[in-house]
């Protein structure tokens, strides 16, 4: 039987709850579709940081490199470890070390889920640059604590980085409705964002079938609320994509439904799959977390691993559950009830 090796990093808070739920569903999908998942769980988290002084061991990245994929629940427990420390110690280094340059996030309403908008028929694939841009981590502080203190944080846009994320976007658009929206702020940021617009135009010439819109981030925020059904593939820089995908999560009914994949399209290292939501300390361990975003992210992982049938069966099962109201409103069902409903539908 085909076996895929998965490194599990449940992380903090509800990350643990939703990782357990996801693995139950993925295991059931494997039984139905003839593959197995060989998992190893790593306790890397804020608790691990408190015990060891690091979010993961020094050879953590090398350990993960041997797996077919990484599945991550959530990172963050600000009561004990500042978010700027925990995220720069685990999630962000993995994205960068494994060149997971495409962060892809689907935004559409699952059956039975009511979003806050009148619009219903939207189906957006947000593609966020995931390794450079505004989150490159280049910068520093001098004269700390004095009146002359200076903080500098530099955005980095490389031709290689901008070109590959846009190319990935064009390729996705070719498989979908052949429309790509490139999001910048080139009216105000005259170097990096004008450069991004130029690269978009260069690539557009290679993909004549794809219609391209150039939008500024501010107008784009409004469009995602006023006319999301006009969007197909959306490509944005790290910061802009980060913000737009929380907006995307909101219009699809909330973070409980927002799935995400950090993809290394060249497959030179494992890709990582995680729900968009965080660790939600207030409801951690109470069985209240909605596992749908996490399970959907797990389906994206199976698709990446070549198990497209199982992935689409999971999506169908999720929607069979939500169509009957399971997991569609906060607090209406427990994590276990939602997971059981998805598995029941999967076994159909
Ligand atoms: C996300 C998260 C992370 C990000 C944070 C926690 C660093 O908000 O995945 O969207 O911005 O990359
Ligand atoms: Mn975010």
């Amino acid at each position: 039987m085909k076996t895929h090796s998965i490194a599990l990093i449940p992380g903090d808070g509800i990350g643990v709850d939703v990782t357990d739920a996801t693995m139950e569903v993925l295991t059931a999908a494997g039984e139905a579709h003839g593959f197995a998942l060989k998992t190893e769980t790593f306790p890397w988290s804020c608790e691990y940081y408190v015990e060891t002084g690091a979010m993961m061991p020094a050879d953590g990245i090398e350990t993960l490199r041997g797996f077919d994929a990484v599945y991550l629940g959530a990172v963050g427990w600000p009561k004990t470890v500042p978010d700027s420390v925990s995220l720069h110690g685990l999630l962000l280094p993995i994205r960068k070390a494994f060149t997971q340059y495409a962060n892809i996030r689907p935004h559409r309403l699952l059956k039975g889920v009511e979003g806050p908008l009148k619009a219903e028929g939207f189906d957006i694939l947000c593609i966020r640059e995931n390794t450079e841009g505004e989150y490159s981590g280049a910068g520093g502080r001098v004269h700390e604590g004095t009146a002359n203190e200076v903080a500098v944080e530099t955005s980095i846009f490389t031709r290689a980085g901008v070109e590959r994320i846009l190319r990935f976007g064009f390729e996705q658009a070719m498989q979908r409705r052949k429309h790509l929206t490139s999001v910048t702020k080139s009216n105000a940021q005259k170097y990096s964002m004008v450069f991004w617009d130029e690269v978009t135009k260069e690539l557009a010439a290679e993909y004549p079938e794809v219609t391209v819109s150039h939008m500024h981030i501010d107008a784009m925020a409004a469009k995602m609320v006023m006319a999301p059904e006009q969007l197909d593939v959306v490509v944005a820089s790290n910061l802009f994509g980060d913000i737009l995908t929380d907006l995307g999560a909101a219009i699809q009914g909330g973070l409980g439904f927002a799935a995400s994949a950090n993809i290394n399209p060249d497959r030179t290292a494992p890709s990582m799959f995680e729900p968009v939501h965080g660790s939600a300390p207030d409801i951690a361990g109470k069985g209240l977390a909605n596992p749908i975003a996490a399970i959907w992210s797990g389906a994206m992982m199976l698709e990446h691993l070549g198990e497209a049938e199982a992935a689409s069966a999971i999506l169908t099962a999720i929607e069979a559950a939500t169509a009957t109201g399971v997991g569609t409103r906060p607090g209406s069902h427990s994590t276990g009830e939602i997971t059981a409903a998805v598995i029941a539908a999967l076994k159909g």
Side-chain angles (χ1 to χ4, degrees):
M1 196 190 319
K2 189 147 197 209
T3 300
H4 306 286
S5 65
I6 313 292
L8 293 179
I9 308 176
D12 299 298
I14 61 165
V16 178
D17 312 27
V18 300
T19 300
D20 287 348
T22 300
M23 287 318 299
E24 274 183 54
V25 174
L26 299 196
T27 305
E31 281 161 15
H33 292 267
F35 63 88
L37 299 176
K38 187 169 167 282
T39 61
E40 187 172 342
T41 303
F42 297 93
W44 306 339
S45 59
C46 291
E47 214 173 297
Y48 185 88
Y49 181 94
V50 171
E51 282 164 22
T52 67
M55 290 297 294
M56 65 175 154
D59 63 354
I61 293 288
E62 286 323 300
T63 304
L64 296 178
R65 200 181 286 281
F67 288 82
D68 295 330
V70 180
Y71 186 90
L72 184 138
V75 183
W77 199 261
K79 263 194 190 151
T80 52
V81 184
D83 283 342
S84 58
V85 172
S86 57
L87 290 155
H88 282 276
L90 190 57
L91 176 67
L92 300 175
I94 298 173
R95 287 179 179 169
K96 282 186 189 154
F98 292 160
T99 327
Q100 294 165 350
Y101 66 80
N103 185 316
I104 66 179
R105 299 180 168 178
H107 302 298
R108 65 180 178 85
L109 283 171
L110 294 172
K111 284 182 193 145
V113 176
E114 264 185 47
L117 304 181
K118 282 197 203 118
E120 284 183 347
F122 58 87
D123 180 358
I124 305 170
L125 189 68
C126 264
I127 299 176
R128 160 187 174 188
E129 201 293 318
N130 213 27
T131 52
E132 55 172 43
E134 307 87 343
Y135 295 177
S136 66
R141 286 169 71 169
V142 289
H143 309 307
E144 277 181 61
T146 73
N148 298 325
E149 182 158 5
V150 180
V152 177
E153 186 132 8
T154 306
S155 298
I156 301 218
F157 288 87
T158 65
R159 180 169 284 276
V162 174
E163 205 175 293
R164 69 189 180 186
I165 194 63
L166 282 160
R167 189 174 293 286
F168 185 83
F170 276 102
E171 292 292 335
Q172 294 294 313
M174 285 300 289
Q175 290 166 34
R176 291 172 47 103
R177 300 190 305 280
K178 297 192 173 60
H179 182 59
L180 181 142
T181 305
S182 170
V183 183
T184 65
K185 184 64 188 168
S186 51
N187 53 352
Q189 295 188 292
K190 61 183 182 175
Y191 303 114
S192 57
M193 292 293 163
V194 169
F195 170 59
W196 178 295
D197 281 354
E198 283 171 15
V199 177
T200 307
K201 284 182 192 132
E202 284 169 26
L203 282 180
E206 289 182 39
Y207 295 89
E209 284 174 58
V210 178
T211 55
V212 179
S213 304
H214 294 261
M215 294 276 300
H216 293 142
I217 180 68
D218 43 0
M220 183 66 182
K223 186 163 190 114
M224 276 183 68
V225 173
M226 304 303 288
E229 68 285 349
Q230 290 175 11
L231 299 164
D232 178 16
V233 170
V234 172
V235 187
S237 64
N238 213 332
L239 168 68
F240 293 171
D242 186 18
I243 297 168
L244 283 183
T245 53
D246 263 43
L247 182 50
I251 66 171
Q252 75 188 127
L255 283 164
F257 305 107
S260 120
N262 304 275
I263 302 283
N264 170 330
D266 309 322
R267 295 179 185 258
T268 53
S271 294
M272 176 168 62
F273 302 80
E274 47 158 351
V276 177
H277 65 68
S279 61
D282 51 324
I283 58 163
K286 294 185 180 157
L288 295 175
N290 188 334
I292 288 177
I295 296 169
W296 189 347
S297 308
M300 291 169 86
M301 176 166 78
L302 293 186
E303 188 170 355
H304 183 76
L305 293 171
E307 304 292 353
E309 262 180 38
S312 96
I314 291 174
L315 250 295
T316 305
I318 289 174
E319 293 206 81
T322 55
T324 64
V326 174
T328 55
R329 282 183 321 279
S332 66
H333 295 81
S334 70
T335 312
E337 284 167 343
I338 300 169
T339 309
V342 173
I343 293 175
L346 194 58
K347 290 187 170 162

